[in-house]
Amino acid sequence: MGAKATFFLFFTFFALCSSFPVERNYVPCKHLVLFFHDIIYNGRNALNATSAIVAAPQGANLTKLANIFHFGNLVVFDDPVTLDNNLQSEPVGRAQGFYIYDSRNTFSACLGFTFVLNSTHHEGTITLAGADPTLKKTRDISVTGGTGDFFMHRGIATIMTDAFEGEVYFRLRVEIKFYECW
Amino acid sequence: MGAKATFFLFFTFFALCSSFPVERNYVPCKHLVLFFHDIIYNGRNALNATSAIVAAPQGANLTKLANIFHFGNLVVFDDPVTLDNNLQSEPVGRAQGFYIYDSRNTFSACLGFTFVLNSTHHEGTITLAGADPTLKKTRDISVTGGTGDFFMHRGIATIMTDAFEGEVYFRLRVEIKFYECW
Amino acid sequence: MGAKATFFLFFTFFALCSSFPVERNYVPCKHLVLFFHDIIYNGRNALNATSAIVAAPQGANLTKLANIFHFGNLVVFDDPVTLDNNLQSEPVGRAQGFYIYDSRNTFSACLGFTFVLNSTHHEGTITLAGADPTLKKTRDISVTGGTGDFFMHRGIATIMTDAFEGEVYFRLRVEIKFYECW
């Protein structure tokens, strides 16, 4: 076989290969750990509160989470995001969105929110959605999209309750593993 | 090296290349049919209800769906999921989330929910979002993400109203076709 | 050509192939500009209104957006969609979904909605989610899925406030850039 044929083959293979679409990666192509801090308005903490109950089932009110696993409460939040578990650390952005307690048999919420990051490290948004059964040690939700530094990204976020104080404060640790990075 | 060996190599390379992960597939790579059952709280069925109205437009209340195509009602649900259309069948998980009636000209809702599956067949979550014009025989919404057995999956879900009784009970048949499976 | 050269080529091709990750396209594969028009119900405009406040924080009501940057207001909408900025133009579909004002320091909302398009140009749905800091000239949200003509599409939508009149009317210009088209 001559060099000519070899090069012909080379370019044929090259063309075939380069027309192949996408390689899926089971190792995260990007990885991020964020903490966010939620202080629910209870009628007496207006200055510190970062979230508020805005809908409740019949018979409940907007300053106390409802009975029966808070079923039916819609909470809106605008929580500071930090890189470690300290509420006083310099925030790198906000977690903005809502959760709706949607179980009558356990504590579980439907989560929909966006990390709006704005720091020297990251500039962009990460949008997440999924089910959050809050009593489980870890739970996975979907990263459905992103913008800026996270343009078109997708992935999985693993959530842990890092701390909580009664029904007023909780802190979540969110480990975001992107598997589609662009 | 002979032509035979060259062709052997050619096909080896070709096979290697073409075995690389992803190619867009217009035939579903995974397929699932699920039913879920929604019983709306009406003030008298607390024991059976699986969902509740938690927000309503001005002048409406939380135990009866609003006039004008229920526009403005936010309903939170935690519905049993079965593999057939029988409410008494062994549930394989829950459908948890919300719908918001969002049309003043027809019955239509904005749907956001997660199938939380936990059975011998499936373990994981599937998150869906989209518009549900409930009077159409079938309507398509997006599968925006998944975890566990449905890690990073995307697809389309075709929804049919399989049965309903007045404004209190309905059953949806959801045919999920995944086109991105990982 | 000797065996050595052949193997060299083999590994070169192999490396080339396996390094061909993704054929991702940073130029949109589809592009769309849509306008939508939102008229919030204020207790006196029932005939014209296209949206309504259905949840509010403690102390606020459903006919006036709440103080402190409307934090906690959930608004449901069913807005006409046009191809230009004229509310009287022939609509090509509806934008249906919700926004939740979720900041106490600026005007910002969590957006979740679907374009339901039904015209000679487009037939299908586009589902979007993300953070909308409404005072910024442009802001990006994620296109998380689509159906019909937009089957499995993903992308980025750039939103601009094209006009507004007090707290009752606003018009958004949405430039949708799909980067994953199928």
Side-chain angles (χ1 to χ4, degrees):
Chain A
M1 189 167 85
K4 215 165 147 182
T6 304
F7 279 107
F8 171 74
L9 271 177
F10 183 101
F11 286 112
T12 307
F13 296 160
F14 186 72
L16 281 167
C17 291
S18 61
S19 72
F20 282 152
V22 179
E23 198 178 338
R24 278 180 190 149
N25 209 337
Y26 296 89
V27 174
C29 44
K30 206 176 283 179
H31 186 268
L32 213 62
V33 176
L34 301 170
F35 290 81
F36 71 95
H37 309 260
D38 195 73
I39 303 169
I40 303 179
Y41 177 67
N42 65 1
R44 296 180 305 277
N45 58 352
L47 288 181
N48 295 325
T50 64
S51 68
I53 306 168
V54 302
Q58 204 211 7
N61 65 49
L62 301 184
T63 53
K64 193 178 182 321
L65 290 165
N67 296 325
I68 316 182
F69 303 104
H70 312 334
F71 180 75
N73 274 140
L74 164 60
V75 178
V76 178
F77 61 88
D78 175 19
D79 291 348
V81 174
T82 57
L83 295 178
D84 61 20
N85 64 8
N86 189 339
L87 175 54
Q88 307 303 329
S89 295
E90 181 70 20
V92 295
R94 311 292 292 183
Q96 297 180 322
F98 64 90
Y99 48 90
I100 308 181
Y101 285 101
D102 61 4
S103 168
R104 304 206 310 162
N105 307 305
T106 182
F107 289 104
S108 190
C110 157
L111 257 178
F113 71 102
T114 298
F115 281 113
V116 181
L117 301 182
N118 196 337
S119 73
T120 46
H121 295 87
H122 301 290
E123 179 89 37
T125 69
I126 307 168
T127 294
L128 305 98
D132 180 13
T134 58
L135 297 183
K136 290 203 179 162
K137 191 168 164 28
T138 66
R139 45 276 183 192
D140 285 349
I141 66 171
S142 295
V143 176
T144 59
T147 67
D149 288 354
F150 308 100
F151 172 83
M152 291 290 287
H153 286 36
R154 289 178 69 232
I156 303 287
T158 301
I159 297 178
M160 287 176 64
T161 303
D162 196 54
F164 67 95
E165 288 170 22
E167 290 190 348
V168 168
Y169 174 77
F170 66 79
R171 179 172 69 232
L172 295 184
R173 179 188 188 274
V174 185
E175 183 174 0
I176 304 176
K177 289 152 286 179
F178 293 107
Y179 295 94
E180 198 172 329
C181 286
W182 288 66
Chain B
M1 189 168 86
K4 217 164 148 183
T6 305
F7 278 109
F8 171 74
L9 272 176
F10 182 102
F11 286 113
T12 305
F13 296 159
F14 186 72
L16 282 167
C17 292
S18 62
S19 74
F20 282 157
V22 184
E23 238 170 286
R24 283 191 182 136
N25 210 337
Y26 296 89
V27 174
C29 43
K30 207 176 281 180
H31 186 269
L32 213 61
V33 177
L34 300 171
F35 291 80
F36 72 93
H37 307 262
D38 195 72
I39 303 169
I40 304 179
Y41 177 66
N42 65 0
R44 295 180 305 277
N45 58 353
L47 288 180
N48 295 326
T50 64
S51 68
I53 306 168
V54 302
Q58 203 210 7
N61 65 48
L62 301 184
T63 51
K64 193 177 181 324
L65 290 165
N67 297 326
I68 316 181
F69 303 104
H70 313 334
F71 180 76
N73 274 139
L74 163 60
V75 178
V76 178
F77 61 87
D78 175 19
D79 291 347
V81 174
T82 56
L83 295 178
D84 62 22
N85 64 7
N86 189 340
L87 175 55
Q88 308 305 329
S89 295
E90 179 70 19
V92 294
R94 312 292 292 183
Q96 298 180 322
F98 65 89
Y99 48 90
I100 307 182
Y101 284 100
D102 61 4
S103 169
R104 302 205 313 161
N105 307 305
T106 181
F107 289 104
S108 191
C110 157
L111 256 177
F113 72 102
T114 298
F115 281 115
V116 181
L117 301 183
N118 195 337
S119 72
T120 47
H121 295 88
H122 301 291
E123 179 91 35
T125 70
I126 306 168
T127 294
L128 306 98
D132 180 13
T134 58
L135 297 182
K136 290 204 180 162
K137 191 169 165 27
T138 66
R139 47 272 184 194
D140 283 351
I141 65 171
S142 295
V143 176
T144 59
T147 67
D149 288 355
F150 309 100
F151 173 82
M152 290 290 287
H153 285 37
R154 289 179 69 234
I156 303 287
T158 301
I159 297 180
M160 289 176 62
T161 304
D162 197 54
F164 67 96
E165 288 170 26
E167 289 189 349
V168 168
Y169 174 79
F170 67 78
R171 180 173 68 231
L172 295 184
R173 180 187 186 275
V174 185
E175 183 174 359
I176 304 175
K177 287 152 285 178
F178 293 106
Y179 295 94
E180 198 172 331
C181 285
W182 288 65
Chain C
M1 188 166 86
K4 218 165 147 182
T6 304
F7 278 107
F8 171 73
L9 270 177
F10 182 102
F11 286 112
T12 307
F13 295 160
F14 186 71
L16 280 167
C17 290
S18 60
S19 75
F20 269 114
V22 179
E23 205 179 318
R24 275 174 193 154
N25 211 337
Y26 296 89
V27 174
C29 44
K30 206 176 282 179
H31 186 268
L32 212 62
V33 176
L34 301 171
F35 291 81
F36 72 93
H37 308 263
D38 194 73
I39 304 169
I40 303 179
Y41 177 66
N42 65 359
R44 296 179 305 277
N45 59 353
L47 287 181
N48 295 325
T50 65
S51 67
I53 305 167
V54 303
Q58 204 212 7
N61 66 48
L62 301 184
T63 53
K64 194 178 181 323
L65 289 164
N67 296 325
I68 315 180
F69 302 105
H70 312 334
F71 180 75
N73 274 140
L74 163 61
V75 178
V76 178
F77 61 88
D78 174 20
D79 291 347
V81 174
T82 57
L83 294 178
D84 61 21
N85 64 6
N86 189 339
L87 174 55
Q88 308 303 329
S89 295
E90 180 70 20
V92 295
R94 312 292 292 183
Q96 299 180 322
F98 63 91
Y99 48 90
I100 308 182
Y101 285 101
D102 60 4
S103 170
R104 304 204 313 162
N105 306 306
T106 182
F107 289 104
S108 191
C110 157
L111 256 179
F113 72 103
T114 298
F115 282 116
V116 181
L117 301 182
N118 195 337
S119 73
T120 46
H121 295 87
H122 300 291
E123 178 91 36
T125 70
I126 306 168
T127 295
L128 305 97
D132 180 14
T134 59
L135 297 182
K136 291 204 178 160
K137 192 168 162 30
T138 64
R139 46 271 185 193
D140 284 349
I141 64 171
S142 295
V143 177
T144 58
T147 67
D149 288 355
F150 309 100
F151 173 82
M152 290 290 288
H153 285 36
R154 290 177 69 233
I156 303 287
T158 301
I159 298 180
M160 290 177 61
T161 304
D162 197 53
F164 67 95
E165 287 170 25
E167 289 190 348
V168 168
Y169 174 78
F170 66 78
R171 179 173 68 231
L172 295 184
R173 181 188 186 274
V174 185
E175 183 175 358
I176 304 175
K177 289 151 286 180
F178 293 107
Y179 295 94
E180 197 172 331
C181 285
W182 289 65

